[in-house]
Amino acid sequence: MNVVKIAWRNVWRNKRRSGVTIAAMTLALLVEVLYSGLVVGYMDGMERDLLDLEIGDVQIHANDYLERPSIYSAIESPNALITQIEAQGFMAAPRQLAGALAAGEESSAGVALRGIVVELEAKVSSIGTAVAEGEWLDPNDPQGVVLGRRLARTLAVKPGDELVLLTQAYDGSMAHDLFSVRGILKGIADGTDRSAVLMTEGSFRQLMEFPEAAHQIIVRRPEGSDLDATAAVLRGIAPELDVKTWKELMPLVASMFESTRGMIVVIFLVVYLAIAILVLNAMLMAVFERVREFGILKAIGFGPFRVFGLIVIEAGIQTAVALVVGLLLALPGMWYLSRYGIDVGTLGGLSVMGLAMPPVWNGIYTLDTIAVPIFLLILIVLIAVLYPALKAALIEPVKAMHHQ
Amino acid sequence: MNAPNGPVVELKEITKIYSQGEIDVHALNGLDLTIRRGEFVALCGPSGSGKTTALNLIGALDKPTSGEVWLEGERLSTLSRQQLSHLRRDRIGFVFQAFNLIPVLTAYENAESVLALQGCPATERRDRVMSLLTEVGLKGMEDRRPHELSGGQQQRVAIVRAIASEPAVVLADEPTANVDSETADKLIEIMAQLNQDRGITFIFSTHDTRVMERARRLIRLVDGRISSDSSTAAT
Ligand SMILES: Nc1ncnc2c1ncn2[C@@H]1O[C@H](COP(=O)(O)OP(=O)(O)O)[C@@H](O)[C@H]1O
Ligand SMILES: [Mg+2]
């Protein structure tokens, strides 16, 4: 006999109970699908921003630079190295780094100077598009500098204002010069926000009397290539230098990304636990009020497996309906969240683990992000229905007939 | 075992004790009984005399405390749960006192359910079930759900379900207890007819004297023992 047919009709026999069960599963699925895509989108966005705006995929320094940053621990002839790196299919750009004191009209602050080659930097970073006020660096404007957001606030400067930079040059002499604020960045990450002063490579070398060298080479890999494999190739090219992936550079942030993604599953399980209890209860009721019927089914030759299957299929039908309805309802939400996202307004730019929170959270909805909540829902229902189904499967026909 | 008048059901020294808390209820006390192919047997006796218990044991719905039940030469105590459910499906037809039918299935679907479980092809199922439904006077009602049928009509559907697969024996526990006497007459008439025309073995319990009169063998139970066992030639 067609067990699916019986199951289907049984589901609609108690419309209210099945309706509530389905509605709850639908709602849970809807929330979880939208939520997981949003968290994934948010995490991916943070990660992408971090790599794009700040650290790149891999960084190369002179061997002792990261332990004891010093203007003298530099990579000699960075251009030759960059040519070699590019020959392997990667993008690379040099940065020169030094500490300095910056003074605005009213206040002063310690700053981190960063000299960059504007055209090369554009290949490895989108920081040039992250200017909130004013404009990005221009090689034709050697006195123009771009400041981190909070630094600009500390110094109380805005684009067009003047800035004096004071530092010790490469040759040990005091160096100082007058610059003009060309642009101010939006929130990127704590360090940059608080202290970055970006200038062209030419200006840096002139101010610092710096030779042709770099402290840091930022490397980006093509999409889809492996991070560790990239680092391995680079170590082959520059065995005497310090090659580190972004995960090695920022292990805490990297593990936060991992664990937040893991947290999604935990939150799923909490929500689904409620669903499991609901399903368990609904199916137990469905079994207990039909004890006599199971007795009849058993008497006419339904085996325990078939009865078990009947109950599982009944739960399965409700789950399937919830999946279809839930996903249909989620579609407009997914479309909206991936296209427009949630504008967190003033929360945007707040720092999370030293990273700026993106002002708009866009959901990412791929098979991966949708499949996990679907799979977990099915799993949870299967677990929850196990007991009622077993109960029904093991009903003794005689006892069942005595029932009521 | 397939001899025309061979034994279909044999009960040998059956006892059945239900333990209810402290008290043991002796529902059957050494019951010996042989029922042959084609018999039309009524079990009667006062309430509590063990009729239902005996039918449940024959139908492999329950196990005796001691003694052996044989069905067509097979000893039920040697069969597994799964084998017992196949045996019920293939060799026994059940008609209970009430609430026989699966509420979500139509009269036709209920009637064909045993055949369907056996894997009988749909067209053959249709032929057999429709002709039986017509025979018991339910033509035109095959698409009704049980709640749209009277008690007597429901019992007729149950009878069709029980006999459609041509089981070795049909067990009917007080099939007429919940219908009026006219309907009871009609139901017993239908069963007698099927017994005569198709040679199906029927064992039913009753305490309706009018129904007993129709039986060709009347077994009276008292306190879980046979107190009398008489055969008549009457139809
Ligand atoms: N499941 C059971 N548990 C305990 N006692 C039972 C059970 N089924 C039947 N009995 C008892 O066994 C005796 C025989 O019952 P039953 O076979 O139902 O008699 P009948 O069908 O002739 O009325 C009665 O005393 C009844 O109370
Ligand atoms: Mg009884």
Side-chain angles (χ1 to χ4, degrees), chain A residues 5 9, chain B residues 101-112 125-126 129-146 148-149 153 157 160:
Chain A
K5 179 170 74 187
R9 291 188 192 165
Chain B
L101 304 180
I102 305 304
V104 294
L105 297 180
T106 64
Y108 176 80
E109 288 164 344
N110 266 291
E112 70 158 6
R125 227 150 67 200
R126 182 132 212 115
V129 170
M130 285 312 287
S131 84
L132 283 169
L133 284 174
T134 308
E135 212 170 319
V136 302
L138 289 177
K139 195 172 171 56
M141 302 190 186
E142 55 273 4
D143 290 331
R144 295 203 191 167
R145 293 283 179 89
E148 300 167 314
L149 297 170
Q153 289 166 339
V157 174
V160 172

Side-chain angles (χ1 to χ4, degrees), chain B residues 181-195:
Chain B
S181 59
E182 203 177 321
T183 311
D185 279 348
K186 209 165 278 163
L187 286 175
I188 214 75
E189 175 67 44
I190 288 167
M191 292 199 288
Q193 202 67 47
L194 290 164
N195 167 256

